[in-house]
Amino acid sequence: MREQKPQSGSDFILAYEDSADRVPVLMIHGFPLNNTMWDEQVAGLGHMTRMITPDLRGHGETEATDVSPYTMEMMATDCMNLLDFVGHKGPVVVAGLSMGGYIAFEICRRFPERVSGLILAATKASADTEEAKANRKESARVALAEGVRPVVDGLLPKLLAPGTYDEHPDLVADLEEMMLAVSAEGVAGAQLAMSQRPDSTGDLQGLQIPTLVVHGTEDQLIPVSEAKAMAEGIPGAKLALIEGAGHMVNMEQPVAFNEAVQEFLDSFYEE
Ligand code: MLT
């Protein structure tokens, strides 16, 4: 609650709230998805945050650019340009899921002054192995030659915990729709960008900002051990393991995810 004299010379104090006081959070979606993957967070945490949720280039409603390929630097810069555009010049909490986390690391390297905190969900600091790089190159080729359907069919079952996949056909359908709507250029561009991303492990120790690492215990794409290593490497980082959730931890267990994020963001109001 803020208090202010509404006019100079007035004899009473007017109390008010301004949503601009909420903690600003830049929410960066995973691959190959769009910003609606954060719907449960916008609904559940909007009372305490200003959420800025871009669709990355080639994803959701953002146009694709030519695949030349995309880079982490491009996508990190796109996000910073968006903050400028919406008039947010100060630092934000950067939240990224999976590919969004890789972009968050790039933002920390290039624009550290814009980051007041980090939420790293279902992501990892390590770079791709040579095998993973080759797989991404092939996936980019397939997307451009045959469309995104084969890429979606291969990835979709791995995005969710087996239990979620069986018991929540609604969630499976939502994810499938989101993925099929991504352009072939978006899929190819993002795959090539991820394959070239640097290893962020060496950056962890230097991250002197409040950090929350959130991970599902049944993530089939990124093992929990990666999240534990990341949380151990970042000074003071908190680790929230969400039991039974897979890679799409925020969509599979929105209540537990939001509780962890709310607790983390509470500390920004206590300072
Ligand atoms: C994602 O969810 O963003 C991707 O699965 C990340 C990746 O392919 O490494």
Side-chain angles (χ1 to χ4, degrees), residues 29-33 97-102 122 124 128 136 155 159 191 194 197 221-222 247-248:
H29 65 75
F31 167 86
L33 301 165
L97 182 130
S98 201
M99 177 175 75
Y102 310 156
K124 60 182 175 188
D128 277 358
R136 290 199 197 275
L155 185 58
L159 285 181
Q191 285 286 41
M194 286 191 282
R197 76 184 188 280
L221 285 178
I222 299 183
H247 193 59
M248 298 310 301

Side-chain angles (χ1 to χ4, degrees), residues 34-195:
N34 65 49
N35 67 0
T36 64
M37 63 155 272
W38 299 117
D39 280 355
E40 295 281 356
Q41 283 63 56
V42 172
L45 297 166
H47 64 284
M48 68 184 306
T49 56
R50 174 184 182 185
M51 286 195 187
I52 303 148
T53 61
D55 279 344
L56 297 167
R57 58 174 75 199
H59 293 68
E61 295 186 20
T62 297
E63 288 171 19
T65 54
D66 284 345
V67 182
S68 38
Y70 301 174
T71 62
M72 286 294 134
E73 179 184 358
M74 277 179 197
M75 294 194 278
T77 306
D78 291 342
C79 290
M80 294 302 101
N81 289 342
L82 174 65
L83 292 185
D84 290 344
F85 176 76
V86 300
H88 192 86
K89 301 286 180 199
V92 294
V93 174
V94 179
L97 182 130
S98 201
M99 177 175 75
Y102 310 156
I103 297 170
F105 281 126
E106 191 68 21
I107 292 173
C108 289
R109 274 189 289 276
R110 293 185 182 274
F111 310 99
E113 72 288 354
R114 309 287 303 256
V115 189
S116 57
L118 267 180
I119 300 173
L120 298 168
T123 194
K124 60 182 175 188
S126 56
D128 277 358
T129 60
E130 287 310 313
E131 187 188 351
K133 284 183 191 185
N135 290 341
R136 290 199 197 275
K137 206 169 161 194
E138 174 59 9
S139 161
R141 188 197 66 72
V142 167
L144 292 174
E146 299 169 29
V148 299
R149 171 55 87 179
V151 179
V152 172
D153 288 347
L155 185 58
L156 183 55
K158 299 182 203 145
L159 285 181
L160 299 168
T164 315
Y165 195 84
D166 293 341
E167 288 155 29
H168 292 279
D170 48 329
L171 194 48
V172 177
D174 282 355
L175 276 172
E176 184 175 36
E177 190 184 335
M178 241 187 265
M179 293 163 87
L180 287 173
V182 177
S183 63
E185 291 80 9
V187 167
Q191 285 286 41
L192 297 174
M194 286 191 282
S195 76

Side-chain angles (χ1 to χ4, degrees), residues 4-14:
Q4 187 60 263
K5 288 196 173 185
Q7 261 181 283
S8 66
S10 66
D11 57 359
F12 72 102
I13 301 289
L14 186 138

